[in-house]
Amino acid sequence: CDSCSSEYGEYIVDLQSYLESMIDYYQEEQENYCKACEECAGMDADADAGDADADAGGRRLDLDCQTCYPTCQNIENMEENGYLDASEFIECQQMGDANDDGSAYYTGPMCSNGGTKIKIGVFTDDLCTEFAEDGTDVDTLFQAQADAEGDANAVPFRLSYHLLKKVHDSSNCVSCLVEDNDADANDDAEVAEVCEELYEEAAKCE
């Protein structure tokens, strides 16, 4: 996170655990955002009713009632528009049928060449540790699926990274403090669930 420059700790957590926790976090944020958007979509688009706040489990989200609806509709109709959410592929899984020799392709998360992003790669083992060196990528596998349908007009799916990119975006800082405006000043601070999960999974010295 770009805003953390002092008084912070560093922990090591495996990629799978990190992605599962963070994707759950951003999915909940997205669901709350679109739920609030739906509630305000019928409001008159005047200067006072144009903006609202979405409460996403103790964190506030800026919500523009006039522009959020198309965004949420795109998310809801993603598959109809030819996209699949890349976050559905963060667990290693076989893509397509196995070949006659028993070999198969698998998809799972991996770091980009620059090491600053996470993408879905293609592997040749069911643990997603052996990268496919023959040049096969996710688009190739989706094209093969479309071809197997026998429909000349079939359009292969593409991956949408709208959620996954939030995980590695250094400008997206996740606060571990749950905001509670009703809490007493003497109450202990409540820690966000995502931070508790990651802390429990992390390698650390205590």
Side-chain angles (χ1 to χ4, degrees):
C1 178
D2 288 338
S3 66
C4 294
S5 58
S6 63
E7 297 182 359
Y8 63 90
E10 292 185 334
Y11 302 92
I12 299 175
V13 64
D14 67 276
L15 181 61
Q16 187 67 45
S17 297
Y18 179 75
L19 287 179
E20 288 177 356
S21 294
M22 294 306 298
I23 289 297
D24 285 346
Y25 173 88
Y26 284 118
Q27 280 179 336
E28 180 186 0
E29 182 180 79
Q30 177 178 281
E31 290 170 2
N32 284 318
Y33 176 88
C34 289
K35 180 180 178 181
C37 179
E38 184 178 354
E39 293 174 353
C40 78
M43 297 172 59
D44 292 333
D46 55 44
D48 295 326
D51 298 309
D53 287 324
D55 187 351
R59 53 193 186 277
R60 307 300 295 181
L61 304 174
D62 292 329
L63 182 66
D64 186 336
C65 297
Q66 300 181 47
T67 61
C68 67
Y69 186 74
T71 299
C72 291
Q73 284 296 295
N74 286 337
I75 294 172
E76 182 178 348
N77 300 320
M78 184 183 304
E79 191 166 336
E80 296 178 11
N81 293 330
Y83 287 87
L84 295 176
D85 195 330
S87 65
E88 297 178 6
F89 296 85
I90 61 173
E91 292 187 15
C92 188
Q93 56 190 283
Q94 182 175 323
M95 284 283 287
D97 298 327
N99 299 317
D100 294 337
D101 60 1
S103 63
Y105 289 113
Y106 300 82
T107 56
M110 63 179 291
C111 294
S112 64
N113 291 335
T116 59
K117 298 180 180 179
I118 298 171
K119 66 178 184 177
I120 302 302
V122 178
F123 304 84
T124 56
D125 67 304
D126 59 4
L127 296 178
C128 289
T129 59
E130 300 293 334
F131 183 70
E133 299 290 352
D134 59 0
T136 300
D137 57 17
V138 174
D139 290 337
T140 304
L141 297 180
F142 284 145
Q143 182 65 61
Q145 286 183 339
D147 293 342
E149 294 179 7
D151 183 355
N153 297 318
V155 178
F157 282 112
R158 299 184 64 184
L159 289 183
S160 169
Y161 284 86
H162 76 285
L163 270 182
L164 197 55
K165 69 181 180 181
K166 292 183 178 182
V167 173
H168 56 68
D169 186 349
S170 61
S171 65
N172 281 337
C173 300
V174 176
S175 174
C176 288
L177 178 65
V178 175
E179 297 181 13
D180 186 356
N181 294 329
D182 297 326
D184 187 272
N186 296 322
D187 292 343
D188 293 334
E190 183 178 353
V191 179
E193 182 178 356
V194 62
C195 297
E196 291 182 334
E197 291 177 353
L198 291 174
Y199 184 78
E200 290 175 359
E201 293 290 338
K204 50 191 174 294
C205 296
E206 295 184 319

